[in-house]
Amino acid sequence: MEPLQEFRQAGAHLYSSDKIKWVDDSLPSLAKLSKLIGIFAFSFLNGPAGRGTYVFPTDGKRSIDQASKLGLKNLLIIENQPSLMKNKEDVTWTRLVFRKI
């Protein structure tokens, strides 16, 4: 799932596979994702937004609770992963994987 077209296209280019479907959807409703079956991976940025943008605060455990209401079972949670980009020491990532049950 990636709501930004540019990021979706870049991800699809880097991870090209007929087993991966990039979905144009967004939190909190996940209206399109809720109709699909499969395994879903999410990455949430934690830290300051870039110039002219806004980043909503995220909480992995709260996201898991909300996802369970949509029929998603949590398979993996990795929090506080450092950014690999230069000059982003104040940015971390939360990675979540779910399966539609």
Side-chain angles (χ1 to χ4, degrees):
M1 178 198 74
E2 173 54 59
L4 292 175
Q5 179 180 355
E6 295 84 356
F7 286 176
R8 221 176 28 257
Q9 289 172 341
H13 178 73
L14 285 171
Y15 302 98
S16 177
S17 170
D18 58 354
K19 296 181 181 183
I20 298 173
K21 180 176 181 178
W22 289 84
V23 180
D24 177 7
D25 208 351
S26 62
L27 294 168
S29 70
L30 298 177
K32 295 176 186 174
L33 187 74
S34 65
K35 297 174 185 171
L36 301 174
I37 294 175
I39 295 176
F40 308 98
F42 297 82
S43 295
F44 297 115
L45 180 139
N46 304 294
R51 176 183 264 168
T53 62
Y54 181 81
V55 174
F56 293 94
T58 62
D59 178 300
K61 291 175 180 47
R62 182 173 165 209
S63 297
I64 291 169
D65 289 342
Q66 291 174 325
S68 69
K69 295 174 185 172
L70 297 172
L72 298 173
K73 179 182 177 183
N74 180 245
L75 302 176
L76 177 74
I77 179 171
I78 302 173
E79 296 183 291
N80 299 315
Q81 295 296 291
S83 179
L84 300 177
M85 296 174 63
K86 291 182 179 181
N87 303 316
K88 296 289 183 179
E89 294 81 16
D90 51 353
V91 171
T92 62
W93 292 86
T94 298
R95 302 200 192 317
L96 302 171
V97 177
F98 297 94
R99 178 180 3 182
K100 180 73 178 275
I101 52 175

